[in-house]
Amino acid sequence: MDMLSGKWKCLMLWHLNDGTKRYMELERIVPGVSQKMLTQQLKELERDGLVVRTVYPEVPPRVEYTLTELGKTAFPILKMMHTWAVTQLGIEEVKDVDNT
């Protein structure tokens, strides 16, 4: 549970399931996250082996984040949580989550 704790981790993992993302992409698609929290949560996800960070030696440096195999195994859990929340809150799903 500690690997998924934190206000933004589940949302970041959710979006990374769609594919590799650059830092600025994550900052754009995770509404309300500060740069400090985004960086901190990404470091924790990397430390826990859920995300791999790749730095390309370019100017300016390009940094990409990708789910590891372990990170991909968390998606079914996130999908179930999403389905439960949609059902409990009685809202319509905004995004098709059957991209596994």
Coordinates of all heavy atoms in Angstrom, one line a residue:
M1 N 0.8 -1.2 0.0 CA 0.0 0.0 0.0 C 0.9 1.3 0.0 O 0.5 2.3 -0.6 CB -0.9 0.0 1.2 CG -2.0 -1.0 1.2 SD -3.1 -1.0 -0.3 CE -3.9 0.6 0.0
D2 N 2.0 1.2 0.6 CA 2.9 2.3 0.7 C 3.4 2.8 -0.7 O 3.5 3.9 -1.0 CB 4.1 2.1 1.6 CG 4.9 3.3 1.9 OD1 4.3 4.3 2.2 OD2 6.1 3.2 1.8
M3 N 3.5 1.8 -1.6 CA 4.0 2.1 -3.0 C 3.0 3.0 -3.7 O 3.3 3.7 -4.6 CB 4.2 0.8 -3.8 CG 5.4 0.0 -3.3 SD 5.3 -1.6 -4.2 CE 6.9 -1.5 -5.0
L4 N 1.7 2.8 -3.4 CA 0.6 3.6 -4.1 C 0.1 4.7 -3.3 O -0.8 5.5 -3.7 CB -0.5 2.6 -4.4 CG -0.2 1.5 -5.4 CD1 -1.4 0.6 -5.6 CD2 0.4 2.0 -6.7
S5 N 0.7 4.9 -2.0 CA 0.2 6.0 -1.2 C 0.7 7.3 -1.7 O 1.7 7.4 -2.4 CB 0.6 5.8 0.2 OG 2.0 6.0 0.3
G6 N 0.0 8.4 -1.4 CA 0.3 9.7 -1.9 C -0.8 10.2 -2.8 O -1.4 9.4 -3.6
K7 N -1.0 11.4 -2.8 CA -2.1 12.0 -3.5 C -2.1 11.9 -5.0 O -3.1 11.7 -5.7 CB -2.2 13.5 -3.1 CG -3.4 14.2 -3.7 CD -3.5 15.6 -3.2 CE -4.7 16.4 -3.8 NZ -4.8 17.7 -3.2
W8 N -0.9 11.8 -5.6 CA -0.8 11.8 -7.0 C -0.3 10.6 -7.7 O -0.3 10.4 -8.9 CB 0.2 13.0 -7.4 CG -0.2 14.3 -6.8 CD1 0.4 14.9 -5.7 CD2 -1.3 15.1 -7.1 NE1 -0.2 16.1 -5.4 CE2 -1.3 16.2 -6.3 CE3 -2.3 15.0 -8.1 CZ2 -2.2 17.2 -6.3 CZ3 -3.2 16.1 -8.2 CH2 -3.1 17.1 -7.3
K9 N 0.2 9.6 -6.9 CA 0.9 8.4 -7.5 C -0.1 7.6 -8.4 O 0.3 7.2 -9.5 CB 1.4 7.5 -6.4 CG 2.7 8.1 -5.8 CD 3.2 7.1 -4.7 CE 4.4 7.7 -4.0 NZ 4.9 6.8 -3.0
C10 N -1.3 7.4 -7.9 CA -2.2 6.5 -8.6 C -2.6 7.2 -10.0 O -2.6 6.6 -11.0 CB -3.5 6.3 -7.9 SG -3.2 5.1 -6.5
L11 N -2.7 8.5 -9.9 CA -3.1 9.3 -11.1 C -1.9 9.2 -12.1 O -2.1 9.1 -13.3 CB -3.4 10.7 -10.8 CG -4.1 11.5 -11.9 CD1 -5.3 10.8 -12.5 CD2 -4.5 12.9 -11.3
M12 N -0.7 9.4 -11.6 CA 0.5 9.3 -12.5 C 0.6 7.9 -13.1 O 0.9 7.8 -14.3 CB 1.8 9.7 -11.7 CG 1.9 11.1 -11.4 SD 3.5 11.6 -10.7 CE 3.1 11.6 -9.0
L13 N 0.4 6.9 -12.3 CA 0.5 5.5 -12.8 C -0.6 5.3 -13.9 O -0.4 4.6 -14.9 CB 0.4 4.5 -11.7 CG 1.6 4.4 -10.7 CD1 1.2 3.5 -9.6 CD2 2.8 3.9 -11.5
W14 N -1.8 5.8 -13.6 CA -2.9 5.7 -14.6 C -2.5 6.3 -15.9 O -2.7 5.6 -17.0 CB -4.1 6.4 -14.0 CG -5.3 6.3 -14.8 CD1 -5.7 7.1 -15.9 CD2 -6.3 5.3 -14.7 NE1 -6.9 6.7 -16.4 CE2 -7.3 5.6 -15.7 CE3 -6.5 4.3 -13.9 CZ2 -8.4 4.8 -15.9 CZ3 -7.7 3.5 -14.0 CH2 -8.6 3.8 -15.0
H15 N -1.9 7.5 -15.9 CA -1.5 8.1 -17.2 C -0.3 7.4 -17.8 O -0.2 7.3 -19.1 CB -1.3 9.6 -17.0 CG -2.5 10.4 -16.7 ND1 -3.5 10.5 -17.7 CD2 -3.0 11.0 -15.7 CE1 -4.5 11.2 -17.2 NE2 -4.2 11.5 -16.0
L16 N 0.6 6.9 -17.0 CA 1.8 6.2 -17.6 C 1.4 4.9 -18.2 O 2.1 4.4 -19.1 CB 2.8 6.1 -16.5 CG 3.6 7.3 -16.2 CD1 4.5 7.1 -15.0 CD2 4.4 7.8 -17.4
N17 N 0.2 4.4 -17.8 CA -0.2 3.1 -18.5 C -0.5 3.3 -20.0 O -0.4 2.4 -20.7 CB -1.4 2.6 -17.8 CG -1.8 1.2 -18.3 OD1 -1.0 0.2 -18.1 ND2 -2.9 1.1 -18.9
D18 N -0.8 4.6 -20.3 CA -1.0 4.9 -21.8 C 0.3 4.9 -22.6 O 0.2 5.0 -23.8 CB -1.7 6.3 -21.9 CG -3.2 6.2 -21.3 OD1 -3.8 5.1 -21.3 OD2 -3.6 7.3 -20.9
G19 N 1.4 5.0 -21.9 CA 2.7 5.0 -22.6 C 3.6 6.0 -21.9 O 3.3 6.7 -20.9
T20 N 4.8 6.0 -22.4 CA 5.9 6.9 -21.8 C 5.5 8.3 -21.9 O 4.9 8.8 -22.9 CB 7.2 6.6 -22.7 OG1 7.6 5.3 -22.5 CG2 8.3 7.5 -22.2
K21 N 5.8 9.0 -20.9 CA 5.5 10.5 -20.8 C 6.7 11.3 -20.4 O 7.5 10.8 -19.6 CB 4.4 10.7 -19.8 CG 3.1 10.0 -20.0 CD 2.2 10.7 -21.0 CE 0.9 10.1 -21.1 NZ 0.8 8.9 -22.0
R22 N 6.8 12.5 -20.9 CA 7.9 13.4 -20.4 C 7.4 14.1 -19.2 O 6.2 14.1 -18.9 CB 8.2 14.4 -21.6 CG 8.9 13.7 -22.7 CD 9.2 14.6 -23.9 NE 10.3 15.4 -23.5 CZ 10.9 16.3 -24.3 NH1 10.5 16.4 -25.6 NH2 11.9 17.0 -23.9
Y23 N 8.3 14.7 -18.5 CA 8.0 15.4 -17.2 C 6.9 16.4 -17.4 O 5.9 16.5 -16.7 CB 9.2 16.0 -16.6 CG 9.0 16.7 -15.3 CD1 9.0 16.1 -14.1 CD2 8.6 18.1 -15.3 CE1 8.8 16.7 -12.9 CE2 8.4 18.8 -14.1 CZ 8.4 18.1 -12.9 OH 8.2 18.7 -11.8
M24 N 7.1 17.3 -18.5 CA 6.1 18.3 -18.7 C 4.7 17.8 -19.1 O 3.7 18.4 -18.8 CB 6.6 19.3 -19.8 CG 7.9 20.1 -19.4 SD 7.6 21.1 -17.9 CE 6.4 22.3 -18.6
E25 N 4.7 16.7 -19.8 CA 3.4 16.0 -20.1 C 2.7 15.6 -18.8 O 1.5 15.9 -18.7 CB 3.6 14.8 -21.0 CG 4.0 15.0 -22.4 CD 4.2 13.7 -23.1 OE1 5.3 13.2 -23.0 OE2 3.2 13.3 -23.8
L26 N 3.4 15.0 -17.9 CA 2.8 14.6 -16.7 C 2.3 15.8 -15.9 O 1.2 15.8 -15.3 CB 3.8 13.8 -15.8 CG 4.0 12.4 -16.3 CD1 5.2 11.8 -15.6 CD2 2.8 11.5 -16.1
E27 N 3.1 16.9 -15.9 CA 2.7 18.1 -15.2 C 1.4 18.7 -15.8 O 0.6 19.2 -15.0 CB 3.8 19.2 -15.3 CG 3.6 20.4 -14.5 CD 4.8 21.3 -14.5 OE1 5.5 21.4 -15.5 OE2 5.0 22.0 -13.5
R28 N 1.3 18.6 -17.1 CA 0.1 19.1 -17.8 C -1.2 18.2 -17.5 O -2.3 18.7 -17.3 CB 0.3 19.1 -19.3 CG 0.0 20.4 -19.9 CD 0.2 20.5 -21.4 NE 0.8 19.4 -22.1 CZ 2.1 19.3 -22.4 NH1 3.0 20.3 -22.1 NH2 2.6 18.3 -23.1
I29 N -1.0 16.9 -17.5 CA -2.2 16.0 -17.4 C -2.6 15.6 -16.0 O -3.6 15.0 -15.8 CB -2.0 14.7 -18.3 CG1 -0.8 13.9 -17.8 CG2 -1.9 15.1 -19.7 CD1 -0.6 12.6 -18.6
V30 N -1.7 16.0 -15.0 CA -2.1 15.7 -13.6 C -2.5 17.1 -13.0 O -1.6 17.8 -12.6 CB -0.9 15.1 -12.8 CG1 -1.3 14.9 -11.4 CG2 -0.5 13.8 -13.5
P31 N -3.8 17.4 -13.0 CA -4.2 18.7 -12.6 C -4.0 19.0 -11.1 O -4.3 18.2 -10.3 CB -5.7 18.7 -12.9 CG -6.1 17.2 -12.9 CD -4.9 16.5 -13.3
G32 N -3.4 20.2 -10.9 CA -3.3 20.6 -9.5 C -2.0 20.2 -8.8 O -1.7 20.6 -7.7
V33 N -1.2 19.4 -9.5 CA 0.1 18.9 -8.8 C 1.1 20.0 -9.0 O 1.3 20.6 -10.1 CB 0.6 17.6 -9.4 CG1 1.0 17.7 -10.8 CG2 1.7 17.0 -8.6
S34 N 1.9 20.3 -7.9 CA 3.0 21.2 -8.0 C 4.2 20.5 -8.5 O 4.3 19.3 -8.5 CB 3.3 21.8 -6.6 OG 3.8 20.8 -5.8
Q35 N 5.2 21.3 -9.0 CA 6.4 20.7 -9.5 C 7.1 19.9 -8.4 O 7.7 18.9 -8.7 CB 7.3 21.8 -10.1 CG 6.8 22.4 -11.4 CD 7.8 23.4 -12.0 OE1 8.7 23.9 -11.3 NE2 7.6 23.8 -13.2
K36 N 7.1 20.5 -7.2 CA 7.8 19.8 -6.1 C 7.2 18.4 -5.8 O 7.9 17.4 -5.7 CB 7.7 20.7 -4.9 CG 8.3 20.0 -3.6 CD 8.1 20.9 -2.4 CE 8.6 20.1 -1.2 NZ 8.2 20.8 0.1
M37 N 5.8 18.4 -5.8 CA 5.1 17.1 -5.5 C 5.3 16.1 -6.6 O 5.5 14.9 -6.4 CB 3.7 17.4 -5.2 CG 3.4 17.9 -3.8 SD 4.2 17.0 -2.5 CE 3.4 15.4 -2.6
L38 N 5.2 16.6 -7.9 CA 5.4 15.8 -9.0 C 6.8 15.1 -9.0 O 6.9 13.9 -9.1 CB 5.2 16.6 -10.3 CG 5.3 15.8 -11.6 CD1 4.3 14.7 -11.7 CD2 5.2 16.7 -12.8
T39 N 7.8 15.9 -8.7 CA 9.2 15.4 -8.7 C 9.3 14.4 -7.5 O 9.9 13.3 -7.7 CB 10.2 16.6 -8.5 OG1 10.0 17.4 -9.6 CG2 11.6 16.1 -8.4
Q40 N 8.8 14.7 -6.4 CA 8.9 13.9 -5.2 C 8.2 12.5 -5.4 O 8.7 11.5 -5.2 CB 8.3 14.6 -4.0 CG 8.3 13.7 -2.7 CD 7.7 14.5 -1.5 OE1 7.7 15.7 -1.5 NE2 7.1 13.7 -0.6
Q41 N 7.0 12.6 -5.9 CA 6.2 11.4 -6.1 C 6.8 10.5 -7.2 O 6.9 9.3 -7.1 CB 4.8 11.7 -6.5 CG 4.1 12.5 -5.4 CD 3.2 11.7 -4.5 OE1 2.2 11.2 -4.9 NE2 3.6 11.7 -3.2
L42 N 7.4 11.1 -8.3 CA 8.0 10.4 -9.3 C 9.3 9.7 -8.8 O 9.6 8.5 -9.1 CB 8.4 11.3 -10.5 CG 7.2 11.6 -11.4 CD1 7.6 12.8 -12.4 CD2 6.7 10.4 -12.2
K43 N 10.0 10.4 -7.9 CA 11.2 9.8 -7.3 C 10.8 8.6 -6.5 O 11.5 7.6 -6.5 CB 12.0 10.8 -6.5 CG 12.8 11.8 -7.3 CD 13.5 12.8 -6.3 CE 14.3 13.8 -7.2 NZ 15.0 14.7 -6.3
E44 N 9.7 8.7 -5.7 CA 9.3 7.6 -4.9 C 8.8 6.4 -5.8 O 9.1 5.2 -5.5 CB 8.2 8.0 -4.0 CG 8.6 8.9 -2.9 CD 7.5 9.5 -2.0 OE1 6.4 9.0 -2.1 OE2 7.7 10.5 -1.3
L45 N 8.1 6.7 -6.9 CA 7.7 5.6 -7.8 C 8.9 4.9 -8.4 O 8.9 3.7 -8.6 CB 6.8 6.2 -8.9 CG 5.4 6.6 -8.4 CD1 4.7 7.4 -9.5 CD2 4.6 5.4 -8.0
E46 N 9.9 5.7 -8.7 CA 11.2 5.1 -9.3 C 11.9 4.3 -8.2 O 12.3 3.2 -8.5 CB 12.1 6.3 -9.8 CG 13.3 5.8 -10.4 CD 14.2 6.9 -10.9 OE1 14.0 8.1 -10.5 OE2 15.2 6.6 -11.7
R47 N 12.0 4.8 -7.0 CA 12.6 4.1 -5.9 C 12.0 2.8 -5.6 O 12.6 1.8 -5.4 CB 12.6 5.0 -4.6 CG 13.2 4.3 -3.4 CD 12.7 4.9 -2.1 NE 11.3 4.7 -2.0 CZ 10.5 5.5 -1.3 NH1 10.9 6.6 -0.7 NH2 9.2 5.2 -1.2
D48 N 10.6 2.7 -5.7 CA 9.9 1.5 -5.5 C 9.8 0.6 -6.7 O 9.2 -0.5 -6.6 CB 8.4 1.9 -5.0 CG 8.4 2.6 -3.7 OD1 9.4 2.4 -2.9 OD2 7.4 3.3 -3.4
G49 N 10.4 1.0 -7.8 CA 10.5 0.1 -8.9 C 9.3 0.0 -9.8 O 9.1 -0.9 -10.6
L50 N 8.4 1.0 -9.7 CA 7.2 1.1 -10.5 C 7.4 1.9 -11.8 O 6.6 1.7 -12.7 CB 6.0 1.7 -9.7 CG 5.6 0.9 -8.4 CD1 4.6 1.7 -7.6 CD2 5.0 -0.4 -8.8
V51 N 8.4 2.8 -11.8 CA 8.6 3.7 -12.9 C 10.1 3.7 -13.1 O 10.9 3.6 -12.2 CB 8.1 5.1 -12.6 CG1 8.6 6.1 -13.6 CG2 6.6 5.1 -12.4
V52 N 10.5 3.8 -14.4 CA 11.9 4.0 -14.8 C 12.0 5.4 -15.4 O 11.2 5.8 -16.2 CB 12.4 2.9 -15.7 CG1 11.7 2.9 -17.1 CG2 13.9 3.0 -15.9
R53 N 13.0 6.0 -15.0 CA 13.3 7.4 -15.5 C 14.5 7.3 -16.4 O 15.6 6.8 -16.1 CB 13.7 8.3 -14.3 CG 14.1 9.7 -14.6 CD 14.4 10.4 -13.3 NE 14.6 11.8 -13.6 CZ 15.8 12.4 -13.6 NH1 16.9 11.7 -13.4 NH2 15.9 13.7 -13.8
T54 N 14.3 7.8 -17.6 CA 15.4 7.8 -18.6 C 15.7 9.3 -19.0 O 14.8 10.1 -19.4 CB 14.9 7.1 -19.9 OG1 14.4 5.8 -19.6 CG2 16.0 7.0 -20.9
V55 N 17.0 9.6 -18.8 CA 17.5 10.9 -19.2 C 18.3 10.8 -20.5 O 19.2 10.0 -20.6 CB 18.4 11.5 -18.0 CG1 18.9 12.9 -18.4 CG2 17.6 11.5 -16.7
Y56 N 18.0 11.7 -21.4 CA 18.7 11.7 -22.7 C 19.6 12.8 -22.7 O 19.3 14.0 -22.4 CB 17.7 11.8 -23.9 CG 16.8 10.6 -24.0 CD1 15.6 10.5 -23.3 CD2 17.2 9.5 -24.7 CE1 14.7 9.4 -23.4 CE2 16.3 8.4 -24.8 CZ 15.1 8.3 -24.1 OH 14.3 7.2 -24.2
P57 N 20.9 12.6 -23.1 CA 21.9 13.6 -23.0 C 21.8 14.6 -24.2 O 22.5 14.6 -25.2 CB 23.2 12.9 -23.1 CG 22.9 11.6 -23.9 CD 21.4 11.3 -23.5
E58 N 20.8 15.5 -24.1 CA 20.5 16.5 -25.1 C 20.5 17.8 -24.4 O 20.5 17.9 -23.2 CB 19.1 16.2 -25.8 CG 19.0 14.8 -26.4 CD 17.5 14.5 -26.8 OE1 16.6 15.3 -26.5 OE2 17.3 13.5 -27.5
V59 N 20.4 18.9 -25.3 CA 20.3 20.2 -24.7 C 19.0 20.8 -25.3 O 18.9 20.9 -26.5 CB 21.5 21.1 -25.1 CG1 21.3 22.5 -24.6 CG2 22.8 20.5 -24.5
P60 N 18.0 21.1 -24.5 CA 17.9 20.8 -23.1 C 17.7 19.3 -22.8 O 17.3 18.6 -23.7 CB 16.7 21.6 -22.6 CG 15.9 21.7 -23.9 CD 16.8 21.7 -25.0
P61 N 18.0 18.9 -21.6 CA 17.9 17.4 -21.3 C 16.4 17.0 -21.5 O 15.5 17.7 -21.1 CB 18.3 17.3 -19.9 CG 19.1 18.6 -19.6 CD 18.6 19.6 -20.5
R62 N 16.3 15.8 -22.0 CA 14.9 15.2 -22.1 C 14.8 14.1 -21.1 O 15.7 13.2 -21.1 CB 14.7 14.7 -23.6 CG 13.4 14.0 -23.8 CD 13.1 13.7 -25.2 NE 14.3 13.1 -25.9 CZ 14.2 11.9 -26.4 NH1 13.1 11.1 -26.4 NH2 15.3 11.4 -27.0
V63 N 13.8 14.1 -20.3 CA 13.6 13.1 -19.3 C 12.2 12.4 -19.6 O 11.2 13.1 -19.8 CB 13.6 13.7 -17.9 CG1 13.3 12.6 -16.8 CG2 14.9 14.4 -17.6
E64 N 12.2 11.1 -19.6 CA 11.0 10.4 -19.9 C 10.7 9.4 -18.7 O 11.7 8.8 -18.1 CB 11.0 9.6 -21.2 CG 11.1 10.5 -22.4 CD 11.1 9.8 -23.7 OE1 11.5 8.5 -23.7 OE2 10.8 10.4 -24.7
Y65 N 9.5 9.1 -18.5 CA 9.1 8.2 -17.4 C 8.2 7.1 -18.1 O 7.3 7.4 -18.9 CB 8.3 8.9 -16.3 CG 9.1 9.9 -15.6 CD1 9.2 11.2 -16.0 CD2 9.9 9.5 -14.5 CE1 10.0 12.1 -15.4 CE2 10.7 10.4 -13.8 CZ 10.7 11.7 -14.2 OH 11.5 12.6 -13.6
T66 N 8.5 5.8 -17.7 CA 7.8 4.7 -18.2 C 7.5 3.7 -17.1 O 8.3 3.6 -16.2 CB 8.7 4.0 -19.3 OG1 9.2 4.9 -20.3 CG2 8.0 2.8 -20.0
L67 N 6.4 3.0 -17.2 CA 6.1 2.0 -16.2 C 7.0 0.8 -16.4 O 7.3 0.4 -17.5 CB 4.6 1.5 -16.4 CG 3.5 2.4 -16.0 CD1 2.2 1.7 -16.2 CD2 3.6 2.8 -14.5
T68 N 7.4 0.2 -15.3 CA 8.2 -1.0 -15.3 C 7.2 -2.1 -15.4 O 6.0 -1.9 -15.3 CB 9.0 -1.2 -14.0 OG1 8.1 -1.2 -12.9 CG2 10.0 0.0 -13.9
E69 N 7.7 -3.4 -15.5 CA 6.7 -4.5 -15.5 C 6.0 -4.5 -14.1 O 4.8 -4.8 -14.1 CB 7.5 -5.8 -15.7 CG 8.0 -6.0 -17.1 CD 6.9 -5.9 -18.2 OE1 5.9 -6.5 -18.0 OE2 7.1 -5.2 -19.1
L70 N 6.6 -4.2 -13.0 CA 6.0 -4.2 -11.8 C 4.9 -3.1 -11.8 O 3.8 -3.3 -11.3 CB 7.0 -3.9 -10.6 CG 6.4 -3.8 -9.2 CD1 5.7 -5.1 -8.8 CD2 7.5 -3.4 -8.2
G71 N 5.2 -1.9 -12.3 CA 4.3 -0.8 -12.4 C 3.1 -1.2 -13.2 O 1.9 -0.8 -12.9
K72 N 3.2 -2.0 -14.3 CA 2.1 -2.4 -15.1 C 1.2 -3.3 -14.4 O 0.0 -3.3 -14.6 CB 2.6 -3.1 -16.4 CG 3.3 -2.2 -17.4 CD 3.9 -2.9 -18.5 CE 4.7 -2.0 -19.4 NZ 5.4 -2.7 -20.5
T73 N 1.7 -4.1 -13.4 CA 0.8 -5.0 -12.6 C -0.1 -4.2 -11.7 O -1.1 -4.7 -11.2 CB 1.7 -6.0 -11.8 OG1 2.4 -5.3 -10.8 CG2 2.6 -6.8 -12.7
A74 N 0.2 -2.9 -11.4 CA -0.7 -2.1 -10.6 C -1.9 -1.6 -11.3 O -2.9 -1.2 -10.7 CB 0.1 -0.9 -10.0
F75 N -1.9 -1.6 -12.6 CA -3.0 -1.0 -13.4 C -4.3 -1.7 -13.1 O -5.3 -1.1 -13.0 CB -2.7 -0.9 -14.9 CG -3.7 -0.2 -15.6 CD1 -3.8 1.2 -15.5 CD2 -4.7 -0.8 -16.4 CE1 -4.8 1.9 -16.1 CE2 -5.7 -0.1 -17.0 CZ -5.7 1.3 -16.9
P76 N -4.4 -3.1 -13.1 CA -5.7 -3.7 -12.8 C -6.2 -3.3 -11.5 O -7.5 -3.1 -11.3 CB -5.3 -5.2 -12.8 CG -4.1 -5.3 -13.7 CD -3.3 -4.1 -13.4
I77 N -5.4 -3.0 -10.5 CA -5.9 -2.5 -9.2 C -6.4 -1.1 -9.3 O -7.5 -0.8 -8.8 CB -4.7 -2.5 -8.2 CG1 -4.2 -3.9 -7.9 CG2 -5.1 -1.9 -6.8 CD1 -2.9 -4.0 -7.2
L78 N -5.7 -0.3 -10.1 CA -6.2 1.1 -10.3 C -7.5 1.1 -11.1 O -8.4 1.9 -10.8 CB -5.2 1.9 -11.1 CG -3.8 2.1 -10.4 CD1 -2.9 2.8 -11.3 CD2 -4.0 2.8 -9.1
K79 N -7.6 0.2 -12.0 CA -8.8 0.1 -12.8 C -10.0 -0.3 -12.0 O -11.1 0.2 -12.1 CB -8.6 -0.9 -14.0 CG -9.8 -1.0 -14.9 CD -9.4 -1.9 -16.1 CE -10.6 -2.0 -17.0 NZ -10.3 -2.9 -18.1
M80 N -9.8 -1.3 -11.1 CA -10.9 -1.7 -10.2 C -11.3 -0.6 -9.2 O -12.5 -0.4 -8.9 CB -10.4 -3.0 -9.4 CG -10.4 -4.2 -10.2 SD -10.2 -5.8 -9.2 CE -8.6 -5.5 -8.4
M81 N -10.3 0.2 -8.7 CA -10.6 1.3 -7.8 C -11.4 2.3 -8.6 O -12.4 2.9 -8.1 CB -9.3 1.9 -7.3 CG -8.6 1.0 -6.3 SD -6.9 1.6 -5.8 CE -7.2 3.3 -5.4
H82 N -11.1 2.6 -9.9 CA -11.8 3.5 -10.7 C -13.2 3.1 -10.9 O -14.2 3.9 -10.7 CB -11.1 3.7 -12.0 CG -11.8 4.5 -13.0 ND1 -11.8 5.9 -13.0 CD2 -12.6 4.1 -14.1 CE1 -12.6 6.3 -14.0 NE2 -13.0 5.3 -14.7
T83 N -13.4 1.8 -11.2 CA -14.7 1.3 -11.5 C -15.6 1.4 -10.2 O -16.7 1.8 -10.2 CB -14.7 -0.2 -11.9 OG1 -13.9 -0.2 -13.1 CG2 -16.0 -0.8 -12.2
W84 N -15.0 1.0 -9.1 CA -15.7 1.1 -7.8 C -16.1 2.6 -7.5 O -17.3 2.8 -7.1 CB -14.8 0.6 -6.6 CG -15.4 0.7 -5.3 CD1 -16.3 -0.2 -4.7 CD2 -15.3 1.8 -4.4 NE1 -16.7 0.3 -3.5 CE2 -16.1 1.5 -3.2 CE3 -14.6 3.0 -4.4 CZ2 -16.2 2.4 -2.1 CZ3 -14.6 3.8 -3.3 CH2 -15.4 3.5 -2.2
A85 N -15.2 3.5 -7.7 CA -15.5 4.9 -7.4 C -16.6 5.4 -8.4 O -17.5 6.1 -7.9 CB -14.3 5.8 -7.6
V86 N -16.6 5.1 -9.6 CA -17.6 5.5 -10.6 C -18.9 4.9 -10.2 O -19.9 5.6 -10.2 CB -17.2 5.0 -12.0 CG1 -18.4 5.2 -13.0 CG2 -16.0 5.8 -12.5
T87 N -19.0 3.7 -9.7 CA -20.2 3.1 -9.3 C -20.7 3.7 -8.0 O -21.9 4.0 -7.9 CB -20.0 1.6 -9.0 OG1 -19.5 1.0 -10.2 CG2 -21.3 0.9 -8.6
Q88 N -19.9 3.9 -7.1 CA -20.3 4.5 -5.8 C -20.7 6.0 -5.9 O -21.7 6.4 -5.2 CB -19.2 4.4 -4.7 CG -18.8 3.0 -4.4 CD -20.0 2.2 -3.9 OE1 -20.8 2.6 -3.1 NE2 -20.2 1.0 -4.6
L89 N -20.1 6.7 -6.8 CA -20.4 8.1 -6.9 C -21.5 8.3 -7.9 O -22.0 9.5 -8.1 CB -19.2 8.9 -7.3 CG -18.0 8.9 -6.3 CD1 -16.8 9.6 -6.8 CD2 -18.5 9.6 -5.0
G90 N -21.9 7.3 -8.7 CA -22.9 7.4 -9.7 C -22.6 8.4 -10.8 O -23.5 9.0 -11.3
I91 N -21.3 8.4 -11.2 CA -20.9 9.3 -12.3 C -20.6 8.5 -13.5 O -20.4 7.3 -13.4 CB -19.7 10.2 -11.9 CG1 -18.5 9.3 -11.5 CG2 -20.1 11.1 -10.8 CD1 -17.2 10.0 -11.3
E92 N -20.7 9.1 -14.7 CA -20.3 8.5 -15.9 C -18.8 8.5 -16.0 O -18.1 9.4 -15.6 CB -20.9 9.2 -17.1 CG -22.4 9.1 -17.1 CD -23.0 9.8 -18.4 OE1 -22.3 9.7 -19.4 OE2 -24.1 10.3 -18.3
E93 N -18.3 7.4 -16.6 CA -16.8 7.3 -16.9 C -16.5 8.4 -17.9 O -17.2 8.5 -18.9 CB -16.4 5.9 -17.3 CG -16.6 4.9 -16.2 CD -15.9 3.6 -16.5 OE1 -14.7 3.6 -16.9 OE2 -16.6 2.6 -16.4
V94 N -15.4 9.1 -17.7 CA -14.9 10.1 -18.6 C -14.0 9.5 -19.7 O -14.0 9.9 -20.8 CB -14.1 11.2 -17.8 CG1 -13.6 12.2 -18.8 CG2 -15.0 11.8 -16.8
K95 N -13.3 8.4 -19.4 CA -12.3 7.9 -20.3 C -12.5 6.4 -20.3 O -12.7 5.7 -19.3 CB -10.9 8.2 -19.7 CG -9.8 7.7 -20.6 CD -8.5 8.1 -20.0 CE -7.4 7.4 -20.8 NZ -6.1 7.6 -20.2
D96 N -12.3 5.8 -21.5 CA -12.3 4.4 -21.7 C -11.1 3.8 -21.0 O -10.0 4.2 -21.4 CB -12.4 4.0 -23.1 CG -12.4 2.5 -23.4 OD1 -12.7 1.7 -22.4 OD2 -12.1 2.1 -24.5
V97 N -11.2 2.9 -20.1 CA -10.1 2.4 -19.3 C -9.7 1.0 -19.8 O -8.9 0.3 -19.2 CB -10.3 2.4 -17.8 CG1 -10.4 3.8 -17.3 CG2 -11.5 1.6 -17.4
D98 N -10.3 0.5 -20.8 CA -10.1 -0.9 -21.3 C -8.9 -0.9 -22.3 O -9.0 -1.5 -23.4 CB -11.3 -1.5 -21.9 CG -12.3 -1.8 -20.9 OD1 -11.9 -2.2 -19.8 OD2 -13.5 -1.8 -21.2
N99 N -7.8 -0.2 -22.0 CA -6.7 -0.2 -22.9 C -5.5 -1.1 -22.3 O -4.4 -0.9 -22.6 CB -6.1 1.2 -23.1 CG -5.7 1.9 -21.8 OD1 -5.9 1.3 -20.7 ND2 -5.1 3.0 -21.9
T100 N -5.9 -2.1 -21.6 CA -4.9 -3.1 -21.0 C -4.6 -4.1 -22.0 O -5.3 -4.5 -22.9 CB -5.4 -3.7 -19.7 OG1 -6.7 -4.3 -19.9 CG2 -5.5 -2.7 -18.6

